[in-house]
Amino acid sequence: MYPPLKITFLGSGTSSGVPMIGCDCVVCTSPDKKDNRLRSSILVESPYTKLVVDTGPDFRYQMLRQKVKQLDAVLFTHPHKDHLAGLDDIKAFNYFSKKPMEIYADALTEEALRRDFYYAFSDTKYPGIPELNLNTITLEPFMVGDIPVTPVLVWHLKMPVLGFRFGKFTYITDANRVEEGEKDKIRGSEVLVLNALRKQKHISHFTLGEAIDLVQELKIPTAYFTHISHQLGLHAEIEAELPEGIHLAYDGLTLNFM
Ligand SMILES: [Zn+2]
Ligand SMILES: [Zn+2]
């Protein structure tokens, strides 16, 4: 039995966020709230467990904006800064729960966490630092509270990145290639999230066209695209161009799985 899940997009933007600092383009100055994108992350909630995937630079504001008062775990996709930078703010949850935060990362991301947040892993701890309990994961399925999680290996140019399947829902950010064997882990999902940076080719992210092709190849009925650049265009204009069942995600979007 898979628990019912609620998914909330905490952020749907690429590493610079949208608007980008200093940019006057039509997307960055758009009055449509759906064109405001914090750095990519989701909140996954079952009746008993709440976890986030990644803690980017906007993590603190995302927790405040979504009024998250309980958090049981963080799952990391890969070591890029736009997915790690906000981890220090976990300390607020430590303060209320009086226990370390459960962190799930593969060996590559663990190395970056230990480097970037060295003070949280040192023997001489001082008050006010985040308390973390690091769980090293591989491609083996694992449980977070009552939520079963299946990692999916995808490629971000030459960097291995973890996507995560939660029952009928699969979340993949920061990839431009999925190996044939891993595609089987995604097939059968009701909803797939993929990164779609922009229309023009990019070295390490799917383009809009490549993301659409993969959704159609895997025959996933509903898809949402995330990790979006201001270069993709206005939310309303791009959304209107997409094939049936395929949408752009936006900050605050929620999905429910019974
Ligand atoms: Zn990223
Ligand atoms: Zn990345």
Side-chain angles (χ1 to χ4, degrees):
M1 269 294 287
Y2 206 93
L5 288 187
K6 178 182 176 190
I7 310 288
T8 305
F9 285 82
L10 300 170
S12 58
T14 191
S15 61
S16 53
V18 185
M20 188 174 87
I21 294 172
C23 185
D24 301 322
C25 81
V26 60
V27 176
C28 288
T29 57
S30 164
D32 183 352
K33 281 203 312 213
K34 292 178 180 173
D35 286 312
N36 284 354
R37 302 181 187 278
L38 297 180
R39 267 58 71 90
S40 291
S41 174
I42 54 167
L43 175 67
V44 179
E45 300 172 83
S46 77
Y48 299 103
T49 308
K50 292 180 199 281
L51 64 88
V52 292
V53 178
D54 293 329
T55 55
D58 300 312
F59 174 70
R60 172 179 169 276
Y61 181 59
Q62 288 166 331
M63 294 297 96
L64 292 171
R65 184 167 73 169
Q66 214 56 45
K67 298 185 170 55
V68 179
K69 292 190 167 172
Q70 172 209 337
L71 190 67
D72 302 297
V74 179
L75 277 56
F76 284 107
T77 58
H78 71 301
H80 281 159
K81 206 67 160 184
D82 57 319
H83 298 259
L84 304 190
L87 181 62
D88 188 80
D89 285 307
I90 283 297
K91 60 196 176 192
F93 292 107
N94 298 145
Y95 178 82
F96 288 109
S97 72
K98 304 201 171 16
K99 58 181 188 190
M101 180 62 66
E102 297 297 323
I103 304 291
Y104 295 82
D106 66 9
L108 183 71
T109 303
E110 178 177 341
E111 193 188 313
L113 290 170
R114 288 184 184 278
R115 187 176 61 237
D116 294 6
F117 300 93
Y118 65 91
Y119 53 92
F121 297 99
S122 81
D123 293 334
T124 49
K125 295 225 183 343
Y126 54 90
I129 61 173
E131 291 174 55
L132 310 172
N133 184 37
L134 196 45
N135 303 273
T136 308
I137 54 172
T138 59
L139 292 178
E140 288 300 310
F142 59 98
M143 295 290 294
V144 180
D146 62 340
I147 304 179
V149 185
T150 302
V152 181
L153 173 67
V154 296
W155 291 93
H156 193 26
L157 187 60
K158 289 176 183 165
M159 176 182 279
V161 171
L162 295 180
F164 296 107
R165 181 161 179 171
F166 304 93
K168 299 164 186 167
F169 173 78
T170 302
Y171 180 77
I172 294 172
T173 183
D174 293 59
N176 67 333
R177 188 166 64 84
V178 184
E179 284 172 9
E180 286 307 314
E182 292 298 291
K183 287 179 182 173
D184 286 338
K185 294 186 185 170
I186 306 169
R187 285 192 180 93
S189 300
E190 278 179 14
V191 177
L192 172 61
V193 175
L194 283 179
N195 66 127
L197 187 75
R198 62 187 190 193
K199 290 184 176 177
Q200 301 90 337
K201 192 79 187 151
H202 188 270
I203 189 168
S204 62
H205 285 280
F206 286 127
T207 63
L208 185 65
E210 289 165 347
I212 292 169
D213 286 349
L214 185 57
V215 172
Q216 293 178 338
E217 179 197 331
L218 298 177
K219 299 185 167 57
I220 310 294
T222 306
Y224 292 89
F225 295 157
T226 191
H227 212 287
I228 291 167
S229 164
H230 65 143
Q231 296 168 334
L232 181 62
L234 291 166
H235 179 95
E237 286 182 11
I238 301 297
E239 178 71 23
E241 296 173 7
L242 295 175
E244 200 181 331
I246 299 182
H247 307 278
L248 297 188
Y250 54 87
D251 290 23
L253 169 67
T254 61
L255 306 171
N256 286 285
F257 297 88
M258 289 301 150

